[in-house]
């Protein structure tokens, strides 16, 4: 029986995802090999292939999990008693801080997903829809149907915010993502009034 204070071994798939995040964050997804991932994870290639069909499948799982974590941050920051504008600003501030906490992985996730063809596009779209749904839920909580943020406008807002993040990444300003909060909030407010 393990001691209560003994470290708990991570499941193999978790270790593989963490290893992929570390290696791809350092040298990019294209230059990352399955051998790199299993070496860092401390598992065999056989173990890798028991969990993932290939490196791209592992990356898509990492992308989904990282995106789900960011969405949890957004949801946990919502304070329903406040007006939607204040809720959204607080949520966006928390979201940008969450993204800025992992600058190397951030670049990998936001840029490399575009190089994975149809599978990458599908997963990216799934994540974008989840973010747009969050935005609609937050903005529309206390609004009547006539003044509700539409699905198209929510998706436009998510796209615009994603472009702000990509621009910051390209300029090497991942650590300053929280400075995007006022512009991102303004985008959503304006689209909510459209």
């Amino acid at each position: 029986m393990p001691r209560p204070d003994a470290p708990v071994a991570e499941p193999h798939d978790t270790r593989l995802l963490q290893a992929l995040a570390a290696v791809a964050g350092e040298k990019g997804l294209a230059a990352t090999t399955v051998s790199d991932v299993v070496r860092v994870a401390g598992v065999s290639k056989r173990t890798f292939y028991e969990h993932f069909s290939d490196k791209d499948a592992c990356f898509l799982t990492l992308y989904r999990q990282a995106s789900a974590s960011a969405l949890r941050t957004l949801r946990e920051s919502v304070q329903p008693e406040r007006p939607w504008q204040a809720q959204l600003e607080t949520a966006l501030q928390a979201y940008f801080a969450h993204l800025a906490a992992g600058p190397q992985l951030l670049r990998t996730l936001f840029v490399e997903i575009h190089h994975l063809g149809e599978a990458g596009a599908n997963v990216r779209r799934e994540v974008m829809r989840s973010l747009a749904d969050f935005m609609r839920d937050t903005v529309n909580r206390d609004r009547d149907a006539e003044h509700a943020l539409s699905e198209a406008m929510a998706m436009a807002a998510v796209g615009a915010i994603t472009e702000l993040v990509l621009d910051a990444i390209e300029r090497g300003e991942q650590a300053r993502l929280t400075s995007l909060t006022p512009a991102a909030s303004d985008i959503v407010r304006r689209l909510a009034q459209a």
Side-chain angles (χ1 to χ4, degrees):
M1 176 177 220
R3 294 187 345 234
D5 60 341
V8 177
E10 295 285 342
H12 291 266
D13 58 338
T14 300
R15 287 172 45 200
L16 288 162
L17 292 168
Q18 290 170 343
L20 176 63
V23 176
E26 181 181 316
K27 62 191 223 179
L29 184 63
T32 298
T33 65
V34 171
S35 294
D36 294 329
V37 174
V38 298
R39 179 180 40 78
V40 171
V43 301
S44 67
K45 280 189 177 182
R46 179 179 175 196
T47 299
F48 179 92
Y49 289 111
E50 286 173 357
H51 292 279
F52 304 104
S53 60
D54 58 21
K55 177 182 73 172
D56 289 353
C58 186
F59 180 77
L60 292 173
T61 300
L62 175 64
Y63 184 87
R64 278 189 177 105
Q65 286 189 2
S67 299
S69 177
L71 187 58
R72 264 192 312 281
T73 296
L74 280 166
R75 286 197 170 111
E76 289 170 359
S77 66
V78 169
Q79 300 163 339
E81 69 282 356
R82 298 177 68 199
W84 71 264
Q85 297 91 335
Q87 289 181 58
L88 193 65
E89 188 153 337
T90 300
L92 287 169
Q93 180 83 15
Y95 174 71
F96 291 135
H98 179 95
L99 295 180
Q104 286 183 306
L105 180 59
L106 178 68
R107 179 174 188 76
T108 301
L109 292 172
F110 270 74
V111 175
E112 306 268 1
I113 192 70
H114 297 280
H115 302 288
L116 294 183
E118 187 176 341
N122 289 339
V123 171
R124 183 177 175 278
R125 179 71 52 216
E126 167 188 313
V127 167
M128 299 282 278
R129 280 195 185 102
S130 295
L131 292 169
D133 289 345
F134 163 80
M135 193 170 296
R136 288 181 67 216
D137 290 346
T138 303
V139 171
N140 294 339
R141 182 169 285 128
D142 297 322
R143 297 173 69 153
D144 59 44
E146 183 180 337
H147 298 98
L149 179 66
S150 71
E151 187 175 331
M153 290 297 131
M155 189 61 85
V158 170
I161 291 167
T162 299
E163 285 301 314
L164 289 174
V165 172
L166 281 168
D167 184 57
I169 290 169
E170 289 168 1
R171 288 183 282 117
E173 296 179 357
Q174 295 96 311
R176 297 184 58 232
L177 285 178
T178 56
S179 68
L180 299 176
T181 303
S185 298
D186 190 44
I187 288 167
V188 178
R189 279 193 293 273
R190 289 174 187 265
L191 289 171
Q193 294 169 356

